[in-house]
Amino acid sequence: MPWIHALAHVLVGDRCPPRDQVRAQAFAWTCASRTHATDAFCKKKAPAMRRKQKIPFDPRAFLSKVNGGRTISDCRKGQIVFSQGDVADAVFYIQKGKIKLSVVSQRGKEAVVGILGPSHFFGEGCLNGHTLRVTTATAIDQCLITRIPKAAMIATMHDESDFSELFMADLLSRNGRIEEDLIDQLFNSSEKRLARVLLLLANFGKEGTPEPIVGTFSQETLAEMIGTTRARVSQFMNKFRKLGYIEYNGKLEIHNSLLNVVLYDKAENETKGAGKSDR
């Protein structure tokens, strides 16, 4: 290396005694050998350091692969994923399709407590200390579902912040939906509750316009979802169809005009509330 030889020349010079020349030359050789060793170590270490760089974690890719105890299942229409009273030992993630969550009372009365679509988790009660399932999960149509064991779910949430954010965002979204459902059940008419459920099933508000409802929802299922009788649902559905709010064409299609049922009822309730406050 030129700079080392130049250093040796400065240290030795033409007038130094032979002994000093030997010492200076030895010093230059030592510096050169150390420099070569350092360069060789860095070249050898660099690929290893590049190999150890952490690959970015993709939560959705993680949920779409079978590994670490995770399994992926195809569920046919009507298939039960788990039943009320089963052991709660895993969390599930919907890749495709829709899942109905229902509960049966001791008297045998069934109520639908939720309809979940793709990118939603369910069965998370096991993380909250529930040892048994409190609901029954049934596939409404063909579904692709990932099962994550409880231990793997907890470990991944602890190690991967992106996965925790995805899971928490879903929980918060569902919690808001549950609050809205409760308010809807307490204060709104059966007709408005049915209109709201149909709009939600058609994904109204997510992409701007309602979509055809995928899957078969019987009037009995709709009645269980809004807490009324099948006869009342039939009456409201016929009314909606005559008014042009919905139509049957192989699939149940929802029109934007159905939103008027929800908005009109809301405005009417606000007007009544304002009238009472003026008295």
Side-chain angles (χ1 to χ4, degrees), residues 253-275:
E253 295 188 6
I254 309 300
H255 296 160
N256 288 329
S257 54
L258 182 61
L259 187 61
N260 294 332
V261 177
V262 179
L263 296 179
Y264 175 76
D265 199 0
K266 180 179 180 181
E268 186 178 27
N269 289 339
E270 290 177 350
T271 302
K272 288 180 179 179

Side-chain angles (χ1 to χ4, degrees), residues 2-3 6 37 39 55 79 93 111 119 164 166 178 183 192 199 240:
W3 69 271
D39 291 344
I55 300 175
Q79 181 175 342
Y93 178 80
S119 302
S164 298
L166 177 68
I178 291 172
I183 294 171
K192 180 183 175 181
L199 289 168
F240 293 162

Side-chain angles (χ1 to χ4, degrees), residues 79-136:
Q79 181 175 342
I80 294 177
V81 181
F82 57 75
S83 298
Q84 186 175 341
D86 287 352
V87 176
D89 57 358
V91 178
F92 296 84
Y93 178 80
I94 306 172
Q95 295 191 43
K96 183 179 68 174
K98 289 185 178 182
I99 293 291
K100 177 181 72 173
L101 299 178
S102 58
V103 61
V104 179
S105 68
Q106 293 181 350
R107 297 182 179 181
K109 185 176 181 180
E110 183 179 9
V112 176
V113 295
I115 301 290
L116 303 178
S119 302
H120 284 287
F121 293 89
F122 65 99
E124 68 281 353
C126 64
L127 303 177
N128 194 32
H130 292 171
T131 56
L132 300 177
R133 300 292 184 190
V134 296
T135 60
T136 296

Side-chain angles (χ1 to χ4, degrees), residues 7-201:
L7 177 63
H9 179 74
V10 172
L11 293 173
V12 176
D14 296 332
R15 302 178 180 179
C16 292
R19 181 179 299 176
D20 293 337
Q21 292 181 11
V22 172
R23 290 177 179 175
Q25 188 65 46
F27 173 75
W29 287 341
T30 301
C31 292
S33 62
R34 288 180 178 177
T35 303
H36 283 299
T38 302
D39 291 344
F41 175 79
C42 292
K43 290 180 180 178
K44 183 178 180 181
K45 197 71 176 177
M49 292 176 67
R50 285 196 296 268
R51 287 195 299 269
K52 290 182 179 180
Q53 289 180 352
K54 187 177 179 180
I55 300 175
F57 181 81
D58 186 346
R60 300 192 186 280
F62 168 82
L63 291 165
S64 63
K65 295 179 180 179
V66 176
N67 194 9
R70 300 187 304 279
T71 57
I72 298 177
S73 303
D74 278 309
C75 297
R76 65 185 183 278
K77 177 183 175 182
Q79 181 175 342
I80 294 177
V81 181
F82 57 75
S83 298
Q84 186 175 341
D86 287 352
V87 176
D89 57 358
V91 178
F92 296 84
Y93 178 80
I94 306 172
Q95 295 191 43
K96 183 179 68 174
K98 289 185 178 182
I99 293 291
K100 177 181 72 173
L101 299 178
S102 58
V103 61
V104 179
S105 68
Q106 293 181 350
R107 297 182 179 181
K109 185 176 181 180
E110 183 179 9
V112 176
V113 295
I115 301 290
L116 303 178
S119 302
H120 284 287
F121 293 89
F122 65 99
E124 68 281 353
C126 64
L127 303 177
N128 194 32
H130 292 171
T131 56
L132 300 177
R133 300 292 184 190
V134 296
T135 60
T136 296
T138 308
I140 294 177
D141 49 16
Q142 193 73 21
C143 294
L144 187 65
I145 298 174
T146 303
R147 180 185 183 275
I148 311 106
K150 177 181 177 180
M153 186 74 181
I154 294 174
T156 307
M157 290 176 60
H158 181 270
D159 297 336
E160 303 293 346
S161 60
D162 290 343
F163 182 79
S164 298
E165 289 178 5
L166 177 68
F167 181 64
M168 290 302 297
D170 183 56
L171 288 185
L172 291 173
S173 174
R174 284 182 58 192
N175 183 67
R177 169 75 181 274
I178 291 172
E179 290 180 352
E180 292 174 358
D181 289 345
L182 180 58
I183 294 171
D184 192 40
Q185 189 72 26
L186 292 174
F187 298 109
N188 295 328
S189 65
S190 300
E191 183 178 3
K192 180 183 175 181
R193 294 202 303 271
L194 177 60
R196 177 175 174 270
V197 164
L198 292 174
L199 289 168
L200 289 173
L201 292 176

